[in-house]
Amino acid sequence: MGIEKHHFIPEDMRGEITLRVNRIQEIMKRSGVEALLLTGNANVFYTSGRFFRGYTYIPLSGEAIYFIMRPDIYDTSSVRSYTIRKPEQIPSVMEENAIALPATVGYEYDDLSFSEVKRLQAVFPDATAADGGAVMREARMRKTPYEIGQMEADGLHQAAVYRRIPRVFKEDMTDVEFQIEIEHILRMEGCLGRARMSGRLMEINMGSVLYGENADAPTPYEFALGGAGTDPSLPVGADGSIMHSGHTVMVDMNGAFNGYQTDMTRVWRIGDIPEKAVKAHDCSRKILRRLEEIGKPGCPVADLYNEAMRIVEEEKLERYFMGHTQRVAFIGHGVGIELNEQPPITGRSKVLLAEGMTLAIEPKFVIPGVGAVGVENTYVVTDRGLRCLTPFEEEIQEL
Amino acid sequence: MGIEKHHFIPEDMRGEITLRVNRIQEIMKRSGVEALLLTGNANVFYTSGRFFRGYTYIPLSGEAIYFIMRPDIYDTSSVRSYTIRKPEQIPSVMEENAIALPATVGYEYDDLSFSEVKRLQAVFPDATAADGGAVMREARMRKTPYEIGQMEADGLHQAAVYRRIPRVFKEDMTDVEFQIEIEHILRMEGCLGRARMSGRLMEINMGSVLYGENADAPTPYEFALGGAGTDPSLPVGADGSIMHSGHTVMVDMNGAFNGYQTDMTRVWRIGDIPEKAVKAHDCSRKILRRLEEIGKPGCPVADLYNEAMRIVEEEKLERYFMGHTQRVAFIGHGVGIELNEQPPITGRSKVLLAEGMTLAIEPKFVIPGVGAVGVENTYVVTDRGLRCLTPFEEEIQEL
């Protein structure tokens, strides 16, 4: 059938991959990790521009080495790569090719199972094992111009979908039916239908639609807000309620179109809603405007959180902020290849903002009897403050 | 807002949970694991009937103990449970409540990250750590009557969706557009939109639609067949081809409606297809009929695989079986809470079939220039052979 052989790393991606590898190596030098053996899905994608089954080996200097298990179909003439059947072959392949064995190897302690890390540690039995995950999280936290471009594209797609949301609403629809129609326009717009997330506490399908009181149902997952879901096996999001006048519906759906993603929330209302809900929504926007201004390189991430809390307290809306029955202690998070990247935006963060970091900031309120309000945008840190990657009108519109 | 307090384990589920815990404890006794500390999503669901954030502690005898972190909203009067903030509190809570500390604890080595297992091992520093994952995989392999009932319901929903598939096909549609319409009817039928899978090598959205030559594109993932996908970040499934006459389209979409799932594949054709493709499809059905007959308790799983290979060789279809450019060495797998449960159906399996095991069997062929053919059904092992849980016509129909 003649499957076409694609370059493992296409020509126009080679400079980009070199830039990323250099960035990783700078952090390795500071961290005392002499080599990284990466196989987690997000890190494989970051270091090669694709997902393949195998390993990216990053030495302290020089180019990355790819150990490819499957599929074995690429034109690899432009990269240093070897075909292997199992990771245990890596040291002998290295020796045969005069590649020095490392004294310290970093593995992805947070991304791989206990069994998988144990197996990989045995591949280099004489090396000291270290956590390489922290190096990778730090490297990926600051995006390259190419990555920011990918996320800009995500934001435009996501905004184009959100623009069509009012069109799919029908009276007496359930929140689940509403969500399904939004999923449909997302997918038709090119959404891949799956957002990468780190860890096992982020189970969700294509995002969250929170209508009315269901916004206050606590979830076991690590999302900002909850929702009961429709089944005890997946307790998050829309619960099948029919949507009635006097309530809000918050839409926080998947923006993954190209291996990256933006995270964006907007709120619509059905009929009129109480003044208190509008006030809280305006408070969310006020917070975003303030953080856009102060979010420059060097600003402590904790300041973003504390400044948000100050504004919330000024407006006496603390009891509704980031949940009501169950509240969370963050107002946003890094976003990129994974939905939950570094840094979480908390009051205890020690991270300083740096140019190119991309953050989803989501000051949200749950108003009892009404629903959730607030805006979430994805931003990139620039020397002029936060630049929005999710350009879409923020007011609460009527459905 | 008055979130209603639900029983942590509803009354009608208590006998079921006790049955499962007893089953786990029988296997623990054989394995020398004195206690299990479970927190992986599938095992938490199996041992409680819901997903919560926290831990199910299974002692060698007596009832399960639940350490609940979040959400803390349940009526727990009918279970033995304690609220904790972090796992490090578990031993002191046990001591305060006169629960003996275990000498050996099993953790989920394959389901939890290296970091998470390390943290949990330190919770019981004096206990010997063991892999508890194998115990749980064995326990979950044989389904209870309740679980089989849930999967029967999944199969009926999935069949109801597949019945409507021809209705959403339009001429000159792309395979992605076709898949999106199938996703829509799945979701409207109640599909949760997310199937649990074990491990990091099963990234997919709501399933796979494989049209024409794309069926032969190898994937890095652990699925039976591949597909190039539409983006290098998610190289699996539909690739955006316009669907033309003379080809097949294989539909293998998500059957997860209630925490369990069935796995089912059917094939449609656009116009006429070559005789060779029809012959291979008939061979798949012949294999299924034969395996339905021999798949009784006591039958080695390896016999299922070997019998399938024998029939394939008899029909001289080896080069197309389970892939063409890239082939896999299994013809099916256990299925239940997770899509990829035990046992994989391979020639090297040491597992014997037992009553109540549920298997997805998927003898598939890739015919160059035409596409994929073959049928996948989900079965339960009974003393009369395999009983089909995915009742839907198997012939290749024209779209």
Side-chain angles (χ1 to χ4, degrees):
Chain A
M1 269 169 103
I3 295 297
E4 202 187 328
K5 279 210 169 192
H6 295 284
H7 270 291
F8 184 69
I9 298 179
E11 207 175 328
D12 58 359
M13 280 296 289
R14 286 174 205 161
E16 171 68 18
I17 297 297
T18 302
L19 178 64
R20 295 182 194 176
V21 170
N22 290 344
R23 190 170 279 195
I24 295 166
Q25 288 169 330
E26 273 170 42
I27 301 168
M28 289 167 69
K29 277 165 197 159
R30 273 194 269 119
S31 318
V33 177
E34 200 188 306
L36 290 173
L37 188 65
L38 305 171
T39 191
N41 301 19
N43 289 334
V44 161
F45 180 63
Y46 184 72
T47 55
S48 72
R50 62 171 66 254
F51 181 68
F52 65 97
R53 184 118 144 247
Y55 302 84
T56 304
Y57 179 88
I58 313 243
L60 203 53
S61 58
E63 58 188 331
I65 303 168
Y66 301 97
F67 295 97
I68 302 173
M69 290 166 66
R70 179 178 163 171
D72 184 20
I73 51 162
Y74 304 111
D75 175 344
T76 54
S77 54
S78 68
V79 292
R80 190 159 190 182
S81 78
Y82 304 96
T83 302
I84 58 170
R85 278 174 300 103
K86 52 182 186 176
E88 287 75 12
Q89 296 175 280
I90 292 174
S92 58
V93 171
M94 288 175 71
E95 282 176 326
E96 282 159 28
N97 292 280
I99 302 164
L101 292 182
T104 308
V105 183
Y107 307 95
E108 297 152 295
Y109 284 2
D110 289 339
D111 296 325
L112 305 187
S113 72
F114 183 78
S115 305
E116 196 168 6
V117 169
K118 279 299 204 189
R119 178 175 178 181
L120 293 181
Q121 287 178 343
V123 167
F124 292 110
D126 300 328
T128 304
D131 182 10
V135 170
M136 292 305 300
R137 281 192 296 277
E138 188 179 337
R140 283 170 38 202
M141 187 161 62
R142 280 183 58 198
K143 272 65 180 175
T144 66
Y146 168 87
E147 291 184 287
I148 294 166
Q150 293 291 90
M151 293 179 65
E152 269 176 331
D154 287 319
L156 293 177
H157 281 302
Q158 205 174 4
V161 169
Y162 276 46
R163 202 162 295 127
R164 304 207 286 281
I165 285 178
R167 239 199 267 172
V168 301
F169 176 76
K170 290 188 188 68
E171 231 172 297
D172 290 331
M173 216 177 199
T174 70
D175 54 0
V176 171
E177 287 162 351
F178 185 47
Q179 174 165 340
I180 292 170
E181 299 308 321
I182 299 171
E183 290 170 9
H184 190 266
I185 45 177
L186 264 170
R187 291 280 284 145
M188 289 302 281
E189 178 74 19
C191 177
L192 298 174
R194 187 180 208 284
R196 283 206 174 88
M197 303 177 198
S198 173
R200 59 180 187 79
L201 293 170
M202 305 279 287
E203 289 184 314
I204 202 161
N205 53 17
M206 281 181 62
S208 167
V209 165
L210 283 179
Y211 159 77
E213 308 231 354
N214 183 46
D216 201 26
T219 183
Y221 296 110
E222 282 182 344
F223 300 105
L225 298 186
T230 56
D231 191 88
S233 67
L234 194 62
V236 65
D239 71 347
S241 298
I242 295 173
M243 299 194 288
H244 292 298
S245 187
H247 296 90
T248 60
V249 54
M250 173 175 272
V251 176
D252 184 0
M253 295 288 290
N254 191 315
F257 293 82
N258 53 24
Y260 290 80
Q261 58 198 307
T262 42
D263 199 359
M264 173 179 173
T265 303
R266 291 296 186 270
V267 172
W268 280 265
R269 64 184 164 85
I270 302 148
D272 291 329
I273 55 169
E275 187 49 36
K276 189 197 241 176
V278 177
K279 187 189 159 201
H281 190 78
D282 290 342
C283 179
S284 172
R285 298 184 61 199
K286 189 171 165 184
I287 292 168
L288 291 179
R289 295 300 88 75
R290 177 67 183 143
L291 303 191
E292 287 165 9
E293 197 181 301
I294 67 170
K296 294 177 185 165
C299 171
V301 167
D303 283 9
L304 301 179
Y305 182 85
N306 293 329
E307 190 64 10
M309 288 308 296
R310 189 188 61 75
I311 296 170
V312 168
E313 281 160 21
E314 217 170 71
E315 310 237 352
K316 299 195 182 7
L317 289 166
E318 308 92 284
R319 339 178 4 211
Y320 314 115
F321 191 51
M322 299 312 295
H324 173 67
T325 295
Q326 174 178 283
R327 295 177 55 192
V328 297
F330 65 91
I331 60 157
H333 49 87
V335 60
I337 295 174
E338 291 179 308
L339 186 64
N340 51 342
E341 299 205 343
Q342 293 297 306
I345 304 177
T346 70
R348 294 178 307 170
S349 175
K350 299 289 176 227
V351 175
L352 302 183
L353 291 184
E355 191 151 357
M357 282 186 185
T358 45
L359 303 171
I361 309 187
E362 48 181 331
K364 293 173 179 173
F365 298 86
V366 173
I367 309 297
V370 182
V373 294
V375 169
E376 175 178 39
N377 284 320
T378 297
Y379 294 101
V380 57
V381 176
T382 77
D383 56 11
R384 303 172 61 180
L386 301 178
R387 180 164 70 84
C388 184
L389 300 177
T390 43
F392 186 73
E393 150 160 35
E394 294 181 350
E395 285 85 3
I396 301 181
Q397 305 285 321
E398 186 169 4
L399 276 179
Chain B
M1 267 169 105
I3 295 296
E4 203 188 326
K5 279 211 171 194
H6 295 283
H7 270 292
F8 184 69
I9 298 179
E11 206 174 329
D12 59 0
M13 279 298 286
R14 287 175 205 160
E16 170 68 16
I17 297 297
T18 303
L19 177 65
R20 297 182 193 176
V21 169
N22 290 345
R23 190 170 280 196
I24 295 166
Q25 288 169 331
E26 273 171 41
I27 301 169
M28 288 167 68
K29 276 166 198 155
R30 274 195 267 119
S31 319
V33 176
E34 200 187 304
L36 290 173
L37 187 65
L38 305 171
T39 191
N41 301 18
N43 289 333
V44 161
F45 180 64
Y46 184 73
T47 56
S48 72
R50 64 170 66 253
F51 181 69
F52 65 97
R53 182 118 145 247
Y55 301 85
T56 304
Y57 179 88
I58 312 243
L60 203 52
S61 58
E63 60 188 330
I65 304 168
Y66 302 98
F67 295 98
I68 302 173
M69 289 165 65
R70 176 177 165 173
D72 183 19
I73 51 163
Y74 304 110
D75 176 344
T76 53
S77 54
S78 68
V79 292
R80 189 158 192 185
S81 78
Y82 305 97
T83 301
I84 59 169
R85 278 174 301 104
K86 51 181 186 179
E88 287 75 13
Q89 295 175 283
I90 292 173
S92 59
V93 170
M94 288 175 71
E95 282 176 325
E96 281 159 28
N97 292 281
I99 302 163
L101 292 183
T104 306
V105 184
Y107 307 95
E108 297 153 295
Y109 284 1
D110 289 339
D111 297 326
L112 305 186
S113 72
F114 182 80
S115 305
E116 197 168 6
V117 169
K118 279 297 202 189
R119 179 175 177 180
L120 293 181
Q121 287 178 342
V123 166
F124 293 110
D126 300 328
T128 304
D131 182 10
V135 171
M136 292 305 300
R137 281 193 296 275
E138 186 178 340
R140 282 170 38 204
M141 188 160 61
R142 280 183 57 198
K143 271 66 180 175
T144 66
Y146 168 86
E147 291 184 287
I148 294 165
Q150 293 291 92
M151 291 178 66
E152 269 176 331
D154 287 319
L156 293 177
H157 281 302
Q158 205 174 5
V161 169
Y162 276 46
R163 201 163 296 125
R164 304 206 285 282
I165 285 178
R167 237 199 270 171
V168 301
F169 175 77
K170 288 189 189 69
E171 230 171 296
D172 289 332
M173 217 177 196
T174 69
D175 54 359
V176 172
E177 288 163 351
F178 185 47
Q179 173 165 341
I180 292 170
E181 299 308 320
I182 299 171
E183 290 171 10
H184 190 265
I185 47 178
L186 264 170
R187 291 280 285 144
M188 290 302 282
E189 177 75 20
C191 176
L192 298 175
R194 189 181 206 285
R196 283 204 173 88
M197 302 175 198
S198 174
R200 59 181 186 79
L201 292 171
M202 306 279 286
E203 290 184 313
I204 203 162
N205 54 16
M206 281 179 63
S208 168
V209 165
L210 283 179
Y211 159 77
E213 308 231 355
N214 183 46
D216 200 25
T219 183
Y221 295 111
E222 282 182 345
F223 301 104
L225 298 187
T230 56
D231 192 88
S233 67
L234 195 63
V236 65
D239 70 347
S241 297
I242 295 172
M243 299 194 287
H244 293 297
S245 187
H247 296 90
T248 61
V249 53
M250 172 174 273
V251 176
D252 184 2
M253 295 289 291
N254 191 314
F257 293 83
N258 53 24
Y260 290 80
Q261 60 199 305
T262 41
D263 199 359
M264 173 181 176
T265 302
R266 292 295 186 271
V267 172
W268 281 267
R269 65 183 163 87
I270 302 147
D272 290 329
I273 53 169
E275 188 48 38
K276 187 196 241 177
V278 177
K279 186 189 161 201
H281 190 78
D282 290 342
C283 179
S284 172
R285 298 184 62 199
K286 190 171 166 188
I287 291 169
L288 290 178
R289 294 301 87 77
R290 176 69 184 144
L291 302 191
E292 287 165 8
E293 197 182 300
I294 67 170
K296 294 177 184 166
C299 171
V301 166
D303 282 8
L304 301 179
Y305 182 85
N306 293 330
E307 190 64 8
M309 288 308 296
R310 190 188 60 74
I311 295 171
V312 168
E313 283 160 20
E314 215 170 73
E315 310 238 355
K316 301 193 183 0
L317 289 166
E318 308 94 285
R319 346 181 355 213
Y320 313 116
F321 192 51
M322 300 313 294
H324 172 68
T325 294
Q326 173 177 282
R327 296 177 55 191
V328 298
F330 65 91
I331 59 157
H333 49 86
V335 59
I337 296 174
E338 291 178 309
L339 186 64
N340 50 343
E341 299 204 341
Q342 294 296 307
I345 305 177
T346 69
R348 294 178 307 171
S349 175
K350 300 288 175 228
V351 176
L352 302 184
L353 291 185
E355 190 150 0
M357 281 187 189
T358 44
L359 302 172
I361 309 187
E362 48 181 331
K364 293 174 180 173
F365 298 85
V366 173
I367 309 297
V370 181
V373 294
V375 169
E376 175 178 37
N377 283 322
T378 296
Y379 295 101
V380 57
V381 176
T382 77
D383 56 11
R384 303 172 59 181
L386 301 178
R387 179 163 71 84
C388 183
L389 300 177
T390 42
F392 186 71
E393 150 161 34
E394 294 181 351
E395 284 86 4
I396 300 180
Q397 304 286 321
E398 185 169 6
L399 275 179

